[in-house]
Amino acid sequence: MDHTLFPCCQDSPTHHPSSNWVVPNAPTLIHTTPLPPTLGFKPPSPGFNVGPLPQPYSGTPTRAPYLGFDVPEQNQFYANNDTKPKRRLPSCPSPGYPNHPIFCPSSPRRASLQSLPLRSKQEQNQTSHRKDIGNQNSSITVTKPQRRSSSSNICPSPIYPKLPISCPGSPGRTSLQSLPLLSKDEHNQSSDLKDIGNPSPTITVPKQSPTVIAADHFNPRRDAEVLKKAMKGFGAHENTIIKLLTKRSNAQRVEIALKYKTLYGKNLTKELKSELSGSLEKTVVALMTPLRQYYAKELHNAIVGLGTDEAVLIEVLCTLPNTEIRAISTIYHKIYNKNLESDIKGDTSGDFRRFMVSLCSAGRDESMVTNSASAAEDAQALYNAKEKRWGTDGSIFNMILCERNHAQLRLIFQEYRRLTGHDIENTINSEFSGDIQEGFLAVIRSIKNQQAFFARRLYKSIKGLEAYDRDLIRLVVTRCESDMGDIKREYAANYKQSLGDAIKANTSGNYKRCLLALVGE
């Protein structure tokens, strides 16, 4: 071994006793500059000899044995070569996290984090991200960025940028957080109501109070078999039919009819119609008909019959929402191959025809959004159409009553009363007549109190002649699954008699029992 080439290895106590790995004429890696501190190890002194490098005989140098630290390449040169290798870009001395902004020992970010003061346990719990870097005894805490001022146009939330509720810096979210909590019932009543502009009176959505609900443990096959048995032989067991059909919802009755046709190959409605008669037959057939199809048939009968029954057109078109009117128009065209609007135009005239076409178009605003300023303008327009000119401009009334949403119309009625000193119904009664008067009053009364409107319709149908049985059946069948309970209360309050007593006094037989079962008596 040539000690002139390796002077540090001569009689060195650190020289490895075994020289099996020493390769003659192998280049020796010599440190000429101090190394940066890495992982707590003290750098070797300048000129420290790490010994010859094991390498293949091809002469290509290989990496030195790992001695607890890594040697930067820029501080290496070959002992047997005076030419220093080309300087490379600085690299991270950490093999586990190369160039990592926090875990790399030579990272400026890590040095800045290590200089942060320690935080208390309470302060650490308030931060969202905590990392422990380096020494286990020192806690490095990365805090959330501070919320930006409300004047900034940049949302501090990266997930929901500038969203009025989810954005932490949104004024809308702050105002919502300051609102009192609502109970479940209050929330259900006010979820669809909004107020824009000046405060307006509280508007509540009426609760549903059906007297006929869907039966539990419903079995259409069993019900079909019961009806088949009830119609078997001479005469039908009408009490069994009434008891079963009045305890099922309209959708369940449709399922029973489908199952009956599957089992016996016959139309259940036609079978019932052949077994029953009179007003009971009409009531049962109405119960077995899908609701929208039943409305379409009632409108068709009102139009094509002997004279037009304007009351039916008013009742249906003035009280149903847009979606129902559109669906009924579609079914009407499918059944009769005619357009509902065209048929209405052909059987009406004048202002009433224009009013019916407006309602049939199903274009009413249903947002339930109110605006006090707009309500005052509409009230003034109604006043000008009546009070400040000779005659009344019915187009203004038609436009407002057919376009505004129900909540806005209630506000308009209040503004009109404040402006004129009397109710808008008085103006309608004094300025209009005939069908257009009944149509405008129907819209106004149904918007003010729809249950009171139907109670009034029931009163007229019960106290009238036999020709009004069709109205009584339609009102009971169509409202028993929605708000018949409230209608009964309005009826008793306005006419000093319960609806059940009125039905008992003016009907008889199984027809009476069927109606009483439908109204919950």
Side-chain angles (χ1 to χ4, degrees):
M1 185 174 187
D2 190 358
H3 293 289
T4 61
L5 181 62
F6 308 104
C8 62
C9 295
Q10 185 176 3
D11 301 328
S12 174
T14 61
H15 179 65
H16 200 278
S18 175
S19 60
N20 295 331
W21 56 277
V22 177
V23 180
N25 300 325
T28 304
L29 189 64
I30 301 208
H31 296 277
T32 58
T33 58
L35 296 175
T38 58
L39 303 177
F41 292 96
K42 183 178 180 181
S45 59
F48 178 76
N49 188 358
V50 292
L53 300 175
Q55 56 184 338
Y57 287 101
S58 62
T60 304
T62 60
R63 182 174 176 174
Y66 185 66
L67 300 179
F69 60 90
D70 291 331
V71 181
E73 295 183 4
Q74 65 269 23
N75 294 323
Q76 301 177 8
F77 71 92
Y78 295 101
N80 58 352
N81 192 346
D82 295 337
T83 304
K84 191 174 182 179
K86 186 176 180 180
R87 190 177 186 87
R88 302 180 182 179
L89 294 175
S91 60
C92 177
S94 172
Y97 302 94
N99 297 323
H100 195 280
I102 296 180
F103 293 100
C104 176
S106 63
S107 169
R109 175 63 175 162
R110 173 170 176 169
S112 63
L113 291 175
Q114 289 177 338
S115 64
L116 295 176
L118 298 179
R119 304 175 73 87
S120 64
K121 185 175 181 180
Q122 181 179 4
E123 292 174 332
Q124 292 178 9
N125 293 334
Q126 295 176 357
T127 58
S128 60
H129 304 288
R130 295 195 295 271
K131 298 180 181 179
D132 191 9
I133 306 170
N135 192 352
Q136 297 180 356
N137 296 328
S138 63
S139 177
I140 308 300
T141 304
V142 182
T143 60
K144 285 183 177 181
Q146 295 182 355
R147 178 175 293 180
R148 302 179 184 181
S149 62
S150 60
S151 60
S152 176
N153 292 327
I154 303 177
C155 174
S157 172
I159 302 178
Y160 303 102
K162 298 184 180 180
L163 195 61
I165 296 178
S166 299
C167 175
S170 170
R173 174 170 176 171
T174 306
S175 61
L176 288 175
Q177 289 175 340
S178 63
L179 294 176
L181 296 179
L182 297 177
S183 65
K184 186 175 181 179
D185 292 339
E186 293 173 333
H187 176 72
N188 292 336
Q189 293 178 9
S190 60
S191 60
D192 296 329
L193 305 179
K194 302 175 183 179
D195 183 51
I196 298 177
N198 297 328
S200 61
T202 303
I203 302 169
T204 59
V205 177
K207 296 181 180 180
Q208 296 295 303
S209 56
T211 53
V212 175
I213 59 176
D216 296 330
H217 311 293
F218 171 63
N219 188 336
R221 181 187 182 93
R222 181 184 58 198
D223 291 347
E225 293 173 349
V226 170
L227 291 174
K228 178 65 175 178
K229 186 177 179 180
M231 292 183 290
K232 188 177 181 180
F234 181 76
H237 296 277
E238 295 181 350
N239 288 333
T240 302
I241 297 173
I242 293 171
K243 184 177 179 180
L244 190 148
L245 295 182
T246 56
K247 300 302 180 183
R248 304 292 186 270
S249 67
N250 185 262
Q252 290 177 337
R253 297 185 207 110
V254 173
E255 289 188 47
I256 295 171
L258 179 61
K259 181 61 66 173
Y260 190 94
K261 191 172 186 178
T262 303
L263 295 175
Y264 307 110
K266 295 182 179 180
N267 187 295
L268 178 58
T269 304
K270 292 182 179 180
E271 290 284 298
L272 291 170
K273 190 174 182 179
S274 64
E275 295 291 336
L276 305 174
S277 61
S279 298
L280 178 61
E281 173 199 335
K282 297 176 182 178
T283 306
V284 171
V285 170
L287 290 174
M288 295 303 302
T289 307
L291 191 56
R292 290 174 176 174
Q293 184 177 337
Y294 178 67
Y295 273 126
K297 290 183 176 181
E298 288 294 293
L299 289 173
H300 182 261
N301 293 335
I303 295 172
V304 302
L306 184 60
T308 303
D309 192 347
E310 291 82 1
V312 177
L313 300 179
I314 293 170
E315 175 194 315
V316 175
L317 297 179
C318 291
T319 59
L320 292 180
N322 294 338
T323 54
E324 292 298 315
I325 294 176
R326 296 190 191 104
I328 292 169
S329 298
T330 302
I331 295 174
Y332 187 96
H333 184 272
K334 184 177 181 180
I335 296 175
Y336 304 107
N337 198 24
K338 294 182 179 180
N339 185 272
L340 176 60
E341 182 178 324
S342 300
D343 284 353
I344 290 176
K345 287 181 179 179
D347 283 70
T348 55
S349 60
D351 292 339
F352 182 70
R353 177 172 60 185
R354 179 175 56 189
F355 179 63
M356 288 290 103
V357 170
S358 298
L359 293 175
C360 189
S361 65
R364 183 186 297 278
D365 172 28
E366 293 182 338
S367 64
M368 299 300 287
V369 177
T370 60
N371 187 302
S372 300
S374 178
E377 293 177 0
D378 287 342
Q380 186 65 48
L382 293 174
Y383 173 77
N384 295 339
K386 181 263 177 186
E387 303 289 349
K388 288 191 173 184
R389 56 177 295 174
W390 182 261
T392 303
D393 187 0
S395 62
I396 300 297
F397 283 82
N398 186 91
M399 178 189 67
I400 294 175
L401 293 178
C402 295
E403 183 185 17
R404 306 294 188 262
N405 66 68
H406 289 189
Q408 182 70 11
L409 283 172
R410 294 188 189 102
L411 198 59
I412 292 171
F413 299 158
Q414 293 178 5
E415 290 291 332
Y416 187 86
R417 187 181 188 91
R418 183 187 60 81
L419 181 65
T420 63
H422 57 265
D423 193 86
I424 192 172
E425 289 188 39
N426 298 337
T427 300
I428 300 297
N429 286 324
S430 61
E431 298 297 325
F432 298 95
S433 61
D435 295 332
I436 188 62
Q437 180 192 60
E438 293 296 328
F440 286 164
L441 289 176
V443 171
I444 294 170
R445 289 167 179 168
S446 64
I447 289 173
K448 286 182 177 180
N449 189 335
Q450 191 173 80
Q451 287 70 40
F453 168 78
F454 282 114
R456 183 187 184 96
R457 291 284 298 156
L458 281 169
Y459 179 80
K460 289 184 176 181
S461 65
I462 293 174
K463 298 298 182 180
L465 302 176
E466 292 184 0
Y468 290 94
D469 273 353
R470 188 163 65 94
D471 293 342
L472 176 60
I473 294 170
R474 181 183 61 257
L475 290 165
V476 171
V477 169
T478 58
R479 309 309 300 183
C480 65
E481 292 187 44
S482 55
D483 56 355
M484 182 56 72
D486 292 331
I487 294 173
K488 288 167 59 179
R489 284 188 285 273
E490 292 291 339
Y491 191 98
N494 294 331
Y495 305 107
K496 309 305 178 184
Q497 184 185 23
S498 68
L499 179 60
D501 292 340
I503 292 175
K504 291 177 184 178
N506 293 272
T507 58
S508 61
N510 287 331
Y511 172 56
K512 176 182 69 176
R513 282 190 285 271
C514 185
L515 292 178
L516 290 175
L518 291 175
V519 300
E521 295 290 339

